[in-house]
């Protein structure tokens, strides 16, 4: 229920350097339902472009346009959003970005690619993918789970399923820096 979701969102902790601001999802388009949505905000809320967006404590995307009363968000399923991420328990970093739909995975799966991983390391299906802490995002925020990997002569990439429940989300938290 919405009440349970809101209570859970209020209990999230992101450390002293950040503040969470809960907002409702105002609108979506059926064709791009999981790729982008619009948040409702107060006129007094300052929301910088590039602000990270969490759904149920999991990183979902970034604010791409901030207006007076709305903020447009693109998720990691979009080709326009990327983040430096790592596989939990390792020092393997990669770049997370949208993958579109893949032939050998169900079309209902919300799939991204974690690219530029070392070629010679074993990455197990089911491994968790978190923010790396490199760049503007704090480290340790869950983003996805590894489904499968592919290697070429130089590098490896992991196909990952987004952890944030994009299909059913009605609320999202903005991760705002306190500086």
């Amino acid at each position: 229920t919405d009440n349970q979701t809101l209570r859970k969102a209020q209990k999230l902790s992101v450390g002293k350097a950040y503040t969470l601001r809960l907002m409702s999802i105002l609108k979506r388009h059926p064709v791009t339902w999981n790729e982008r949505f619009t948040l409702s905000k107060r006129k007094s809320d300052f929301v910088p472009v590039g602000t990270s967006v969490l759904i149920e404590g999991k990183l979902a995307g970034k604010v791409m346009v901030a207006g007076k009363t709305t903020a447009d968000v693109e998720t990691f399923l979009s080709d326009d959003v990327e983040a430096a991420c790592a596989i939990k328990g390792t020092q393997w970093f990669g770049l997370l970005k949208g993958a579109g739909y893949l032939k050998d995975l169900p079309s209902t799966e919300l799939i991204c690619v974690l690219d530029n991983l070392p070629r010679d390391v074993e990455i197990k299906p089911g491994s968790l993918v978190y923010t790396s802490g490199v760049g503007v995002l704090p480290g340790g925020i869950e983003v996805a789970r590894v489904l499968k990997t592919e290697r070429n002569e130089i590098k490896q990439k992991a196909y990952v399923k987004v952890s944030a429940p994009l299909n059913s989300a009605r609320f999202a938290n903005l991760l705002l820096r306190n500086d």
Side-chain angles (χ1 to χ4, degrees):
T1 68
D2 284 349
N3 282 338
Q4 291 170 328
T5 302
L6 292 170
R7 283 190 194 107
K8 197 180 211 181
Q10 289 176 334
K11 292 179 183 178
L12 292 175
S13 175
V14 290
K16 295 179 181 177
Y18 295 89
T19 299
L20 290 173
R21 178 148 313 127
L22 187 65
M23 296 185 176
S24 62
I25 295 176
L26 178 65
K27 65 180 178 178
R28 298 179 186 225
H29 189 280
V31 175
T32 58
W33 189 267
N34 293 312
E35 293 175 17
R36 56 187 59 89
F37 52 85
T38 300
L39 297 173
S40 175
K41 70 179 206 63
R42 299 179 302 227
K43 288 181 183 178
S44 61
D45 287 335
F46 175 68
V47 178
V49 169
T51 298
S52 298
V53 178
L54 285 75
I55 295 175
E56 294 186 16
K58 295 162 180 77
L59 191 63
K62 294 181 182 178
V63 172
M64 301 305 275
V65 177
K68 289 182 181 179
T69 59
T70 61
D72 294 337
V73 175
E74 292 209 22
T75 72
F76 289 108
L77 299 176
S78 164
D79 293 335
D80 297 327
V81 180
E82 299 176 337
C85 291
I87 296 176
K88 186 176 183 185
T90 73
Q91 295 180 355
W92 309 323
F93 295 91
L95 185 64
L96 183 77
K97 54 189 174 182
Y101 293 102
L102 305 171
K103 293 178 195 170
D104 58 340
L105 293 170
S107 63
T108 57
E109 297 287 353
L110 305 177
I111 308 298
C112 292
V113 174
L114 185 59
D115 206 356
N116 299 314
L117 295 165
R119 184 202 187 306
D120 297 325
V121 297
E122 183 182 348
I123 300 170
K124 297 178 183 175
S127 297
L128 288 174
V129 176
Y130 285 84
T131 54
S132 65
V134 174
V136 297
L137 286 171
I141 299 173
E142 184 179 337
V143 181
R145 192 172 290 271
V146 174
L147 294 173
K148 70 176 196 164
T149 60
E150 287 181 0
R151 291 183 172 103
N152 65 22
E153 302 81 35
I154 302 168
K155 63 183 180 173
Q156 180 174 191
K157 62 182 167 183
Y159 293 95
V160 299
K161 179 180 178 183
V162 174
S163 296
L166 298 172
N167 285 328
S168 59
R170 293 173 36 96
F171 301 96
N173 269 306
L174 297 182
L175 183 64
L176 300 166
R177 289 188 64 86
N178 289 332
D179 46 15

